[in-house]
Amino acid sequence: MNTTQFTACLQHVAQGMIASEPRLTALDQVIGDGDHGIGIKRGFTALQTLLSAPEFSPADIGDCLLQSGTRLMTSMGGASGAIFGTLFRAGGKGLAGRRELDAATLAEWLEIGMQAIHQRGGAEPGDKTMMDALAAAATRARSDTALPLSEALANCAQAAMAGAEGTSTMVARFGRAKNLGERAIGHCDPGAVSMALILQFMAEFTH
Ligand code: ADP
Ligand code: MG
Ligand code: MG
């Protein structure tokens, strides 16, 4: 997909994330402080405003990601504002100048995002964060680089959701759920579900 299509894709993602607010709120009420859905809704509403402004004309895929990430980071708040902002901003810097998002570029973005988020917050797969969904998606994307983007995205989204569901058996080592210790077992990490939903809405856009 080209930059214009990618902008439309992110608009679809924003719409979907805003509509997912109740689900994400419910998850964060169980193992966090209950504000994840509100933060996601605030961030993606601000993103929607950016993407639909007549003066928004990103130079390329990287620029679109970078501007989107800055908007998310400055509006969403909480741990997830920094984390998801980093996913988009680091991807934007890494993909500067790219005019086409294909399956290989998607794999690059997820890989860059993972490294940047690890550097920022220290989380690794297994710590019960969004990293568990992102790592599962990145692994899948790495083996799907020859597929059409729509298929790669569908596989990634599925892997990410399985990764998010897998957080339910984990004890958290980051974020507020850390304070719950073993009591967090049996509940999914809200940020991991958000990560999977972002990919799911991207996949939905391409189908
Ligand atoms: P807060 O915890 O500040 O209320 P949110 O509720 O919006 O922020 O987001 C919580 C989510 O952020 C968690 O579910 C987790 O996935 C993610 N998160 C928190 N800390 C980290 C971290 N260090 N690395 C990656 N993700 C993190
Ligand atoms: Mg919270
Ligand atoms: Mg909070």
Side-chain angles (χ1 to χ4, degrees):
M1 75 172 73
N2 64 26
T3 307
T4 307
Q5 291 164 328
F6 185 58
T7 302
C9 177
L10 289 183
Q11 261 164 335
H12 182 75
V13 170
Q15 224 167 45
M17 294 309 287
I18 292 164
S20 305
E21 182 267 313
R23 175 179 181 182
L24 299 169
T25 296
L27 288 170
D28 201 35
Q29 274 168 349
V30 180
I31 66 165
D33 56 359
D35 62 356
H36 184 60
I38 299 296
I40 285 284
K41 185 175 179 182
R42 191 168 50 234
F44 282 89
T45 301
L47 178 59
Q48 211 173 35
T49 305
L50 171 78
L51 298 173
S52 58
E55 62 273 20
F56 182 70
S57 69
D60 49 57
I61 300 276
D63 184 34
C64 187
L65 273 174
L66 182 62
Q67 290 196 50
S68 297
T70 304
R71 186 57 65 100
L72 288 175
M73 197 173 276
T74 53
S75 60
M76 203 186 283
S80 55
I83 297 297
F84 287 96
T86 296
L87 174 68
F88 281 69
R89 281 180 48 86
K93 289 177 197 162
L95 301 182
R98 306 296 180 82
R99 296 183 180 279
E100 188 69 26
L101 182 76
D102 57 13
T105 318
L106 172 71
E108 268 184 82
W109 173 24
L110 298 178
E111 196 65 46
I112 292 167
M114 243 177 80
Q115 282 175 19
I117 290 167
H118 173 71
Q119 265 173 23
R120 178 149 192 145
E124 288 175 18
D127 290 339
K128 199 181 181 92
T129 70
M130 57 75 74
M131 190 62 107
D132 291 298
L134 177 55
T139 301
R140 184 67 211 229
R142 227 177 286 135
S143 63
D144 282 356
T145 53
L147 292 184
L149 178 64
S150 61
E151 283 176 46
L153 273 170
N155 292 344
C156 264
Q158 201 175 39
M161 201 46 94
E165 278 159 11
T167 62
S168 136
T169 61
M170 297 172 187
V171 171
R173 283 203 283 271
F174 285 89
R176 290 167 202 279
K178 193 174 80 175
N179 305 326
L180 286 181
E182 306 244 310
R183 279 176 292 150
I185 293 177
H187 307 287
C188 279
D189 176 68
V193 173
S194 285
M195 183 63 237
L197 286 174
I198 289 172
L199 292 167
Q200 194 173 297
F201 293 126
M202 285 184 72
E204 203 175 87
F205 178 81
T206 60
H207 274 80

PDB file of all heavy atoms in Angstrom, residues 103-104 106-107 110 136-145 152 156:
ATOM      1  N   ALA A 103       4.770  -6.649   2.909  1.00  0.00           N
ATOM      2  CA  ALA A 103       4.940  -7.561   4.049  1.00  0.00           C
ATOM      3  C   ALA A 103       6.335  -7.456   4.659  1.00  0.00           C
ATOM      4  O   ALA A 103       6.500  -7.546   5.883  1.00  0.00           O
ATOM      5  CB  ALA A 103       4.649  -9.000   3.610  1.00  0.00           C
ATOM      6  N   ALA A 104       7.345  -7.221   3.830  1.00  0.00           N
ATOM      7  CA  ALA A 104       8.716  -7.105   4.338  1.00  0.00           C
ATOM      8  C   ALA A 104       8.878  -5.824   5.167  1.00  0.00           C
ATOM      9  O   ALA A 104       9.550  -5.817   6.202  1.00  0.00           O
ATOM     10  CB  ALA A 104       9.714  -7.123   3.180  1.00  0.00           C
ATOM     11  N   LEU A 106       6.467  -4.289   6.726  1.00  0.00           N
ATOM     12  CA  LEU A 106       5.708  -4.517   7.958  1.00  0.00           C
ATOM     13  C   LEU A 106       6.586  -5.236   8.990  1.00  0.00           C
ATOM     14  O   LEU A 106       6.638  -4.849  10.163  1.00  0.00           O
ATOM     15  CB  LEU A 106       4.461  -5.366   7.653  1.00  0.00           C
ATOM     16  CG  LEU A 106       3.663  -5.851   8.866  1.00  0.00           C
ATOM     17  CD1 LEU A 106       2.936  -4.692   9.542  1.00  0.00           C
ATOM     18  CD2 LEU A 106       2.665  -6.943   8.455  1.00  0.00           C
ATOM     19  N   ALA A 107       7.292  -6.257   8.532  1.00  0.00           N
ATOM     20  CA  ALA A 107       8.174  -7.016   9.429  1.00  0.00           C
ATOM     21  C   ALA A 107       9.256  -6.110  10.014  1.00  0.00           C
ATOM     22  O   ALA A 107       9.577  -6.188  11.201  1.00  0.00           O
ATOM     23  CB  ALA A 107       8.803  -8.185   8.679  1.00  0.00           C
ATOM     24  N   LEU A 110       7.720  -3.822  12.792  1.00  0.00           N
ATOM     25  CA  LEU A 110       7.447  -4.512  14.057  1.00  0.00           C
ATOM     26  C   LEU A 110       8.756  -4.792  14.809  1.00  0.00           C
ATOM     27  O   LEU A 110       8.833  -4.647  16.031  1.00  0.00           O
ATOM     28  CB  LEU A 110       6.661  -5.799  13.799  1.00  0.00           C
ATOM     29  CG  LEU A 110       5.280  -5.583  13.160  1.00  0.00           C
ATOM     30  CD1 LEU A 110       4.597  -6.918  12.895  1.00  0.00           C
ATOM     31  CD2 LEU A 110       4.394  -4.688  14.032  1.00  0.00           C
ATOM     32  N   ALA A 136       5.063 -11.714  19.215  1.00  0.00           N
ATOM     33  CA  ALA A 136       4.425 -12.803  18.459  1.00  0.00           C
ATOM     34  C   ALA A 136       4.157 -12.360  17.021  1.00  0.00           C
ATOM     35  O   ALA A 136       4.388 -13.116  16.064  1.00  0.00           O
ATOM     36  CB  ALA A 136       3.124 -13.223  19.144  1.00  0.00           C
ATOM     37  N   ALA A 137       3.705 -11.113  16.869  1.00  0.00           N
ATOM     38  CA  ALA A 137       3.433 -10.577  15.528  1.00  0.00           C
ATOM     39  C   ALA A 137       4.725 -10.428  14.730  1.00  0.00           C
ATOM     40  O   ALA A 137       4.778 -10.762  13.541  1.00  0.00           O
ATOM     41  CB  ALA A 137       2.724  -9.232  15.646  1.00  0.00           C
ATOM     42  N   ALA A 138       5.780  -9.932  15.392  1.00  0.00           N
ATOM     43  CA  ALA A 138       7.056  -9.711  14.700  1.00  0.00           C
ATOM     44  C   ALA A 138       7.643 -11.037  14.220  1.00  0.00           C
ATOM     45  O   ALA A 138       8.173 -11.123  13.106  1.00  0.00           O
ATOM     46  CB  ALA A 138       8.036  -8.992  15.632  1.00  0.00           C
ATOM     47  N   THR A 139       7.545 -12.052  15.048  1.00  0.00           N
ATOM     48  CA  THR A 139       8.056 -13.380  14.667  1.00  0.00           C
ATOM     49  C   THR A 139       7.308 -13.906  13.449  1.00  0.00           C
ATOM     50  O   THR A 139       7.910 -14.403  12.491  1.00  0.00           O
ATOM     51  CB  THR A 139       7.876 -14.378  15.840  1.00  0.00           C
ATOM     52  OG1 THR A 139       8.590 -13.874  16.962  1.00  0.00           O
ATOM     53  CG2 THR A 139       8.394 -15.756  15.485  1.00  0.00           C
ATOM     54  N   ARG A 140       6.001 -13.764  13.478  1.00  0.00           N
ATOM     55  CA  ARG A 140       5.181 -14.240  12.359  1.00  0.00           C
ATOM     56  C   ARG A 140       5.502 -13.440  11.086  1.00  0.00           C
ATOM     57  O   ARG A 140       5.655 -13.997   9.992  1.00  0.00           O
ATOM     58  CB  ARG A 140       3.698 -14.109  12.735  1.00  0.00           C
ATOM     59  CG  ARG A 140       2.756 -14.652  11.714  1.00  0.00           C
ATOM     60  CD  ARG A 140       2.913 -16.165  11.609  1.00  0.00           C
ATOM     61  NE  ARG A 140       2.627 -16.606  10.273  1.00  0.00           N
ATOM     62  CZ  ARG A 140       1.798 -17.619   9.998  1.00  0.00           C
ATOM     63  NH1 ARG A 140       1.201 -18.280  10.964  1.00  0.00           N
ATOM     64  NH2 ARG A 140       1.600 -17.971   8.748  1.00  0.00           N
ATOM     65  N   ALA A 141       5.637 -12.118  11.241  1.00  0.00           N
ATOM     66  CA  ALA A 141       5.903 -11.258  10.082  1.00  0.00           C
ATOM     67  C   ALA A 141       7.230 -11.607   9.424  1.00  0.00           C
ATOM     68  O   ALA A 141       7.357 -11.580   8.198  1.00  0.00           O
ATOM     69  CB  ALA A 141       5.893  -9.786  10.512  1.00  0.00           C
ATOM     70  N   ARG A 142       8.207 -11.952  10.243  1.00  0.00           N
ATOM     71  CA  ARG A 142       9.540 -12.310   9.741  1.00  0.00           C
ATOM     72  C   ARG A 142       9.480 -13.513   8.797  1.00  0.00           C
ATOM     73  O   ARG A 142      10.271 -13.617   7.863  1.00  0.00           O
ATOM     74  CB  ARG A 142      10.450 -12.626  10.931  1.00  0.00           C
ATOM     75  CG  ARG A 142      11.805 -11.989  10.886  1.00  0.00           C
ATOM     76  CD  ARG A 142      12.597 -12.307  12.156  1.00  0.00           C
ATOM     77  NE  ARG A 142      12.125 -11.554  13.311  1.00  0.00           N
ATOM     78  CZ  ARG A 142      11.922 -12.079  14.527  1.00  0.00           C
ATOM     79  NH1 ARG A 142      12.128 -13.358  14.752  1.00  0.00           N
ATOM     80  NH2 ARG A 142      11.519 -11.316  15.512  1.00  0.00           N
ATOM     81  N   SER A 143       8.553 -14.431   9.047  1.00  0.00           N
ATOM     82  CA  SER A 143       8.484 -15.622   8.192  1.00  0.00           C
ATOM     83  C   SER A 143       7.489 -15.442   7.042  1.00  0.00           C
ATOM     84  O   SER A 143       7.335 -16.329   6.204  1.00  0.00           O
ATOM     85  CB  SER A 143       8.124 -16.856   9.022  1.00  0.00           C
ATOM     86  OG  SER A 143       6.846 -16.691   9.593  1.00  0.00           O
ATOM     87  N   ASP A 144       6.822 -14.280   6.996  1.00  0.00           N
ATOM     88  CA  ASP A 144       5.776 -14.063   5.988  1.00  0.00           C
ATOM     89  C   ASP A 144       6.132 -12.963   4.999  1.00  0.00           C
ATOM     90  O   ASP A 144       5.249 -12.429   4.323  1.00  0.00           O
ATOM     91  CB  ASP A 144       4.456 -13.677   6.684  1.00  0.00           C
ATOM     92  CG  ASP A 144       3.749 -14.885   7.292  1.00  0.00           C
ATOM     93  OD1 ASP A 144       4.233 -16.018   7.110  1.00  0.00           O
ATOM     94  OD2 ASP A 144       2.708 -14.687   7.942  1.00  0.00           O
ATOM     95  N   THR A 145       7.409 -12.606   4.890  1.00  0.00           N
ATOM     96  CA  THR A 145       7.775 -11.426   4.091  1.00  0.00           C
ATOM     97  C   THR A 145       7.480 -11.593   2.596  1.00  0.00           C
ATOM     98  O   THR A 145       7.400 -10.603   1.880  1.00  0.00           O
ATOM     99  CB  THR A 145       9.267 -11.072   4.261  1.00  0.00           C
ATOM    100  OG1 THR A 145      10.033 -12.244   3.980  1.00  0.00           O
ATOM    101  CG2 THR A 145       9.573 -10.593   5.659  1.00  0.00           C
ATOM    102  N   ALA A 152      -0.161 -11.332   5.121  1.00  0.00           N
ATOM    103  CA  ALA A 152       0.812 -11.164   6.204  1.00  0.00           C
ATOM    104  C   ALA A 152       0.157 -10.484   7.402  1.00  0.00           C
ATOM    105  O   ALA A 152       0.372 -10.876   8.553  1.00  0.00           O
ATOM    106  CB  ALA A 152       2.010 -10.347   5.714  1.00  0.00           C
ATOM    107  N   CYS A 156      -0.303 -11.956  11.122  1.00  0.00           N
ATOM    108  CA  CYS A 156       0.273 -11.183  12.223  1.00  0.00           C
ATOM    109  C   CYS A 156      -0.757 -10.879  13.292  1.00  0.00           C
ATOM    110  O   CYS A 156      -0.480 -10.984  14.487  1.00  0.00           O
ATOM    111  CB  CYS A 156       0.730  -9.822  11.712  1.00  0.00           C
ATOM    112  SG  CYS A 156       2.409  -9.763  11.298  1.00  0.00           S
TER     113      CYS A 156
END
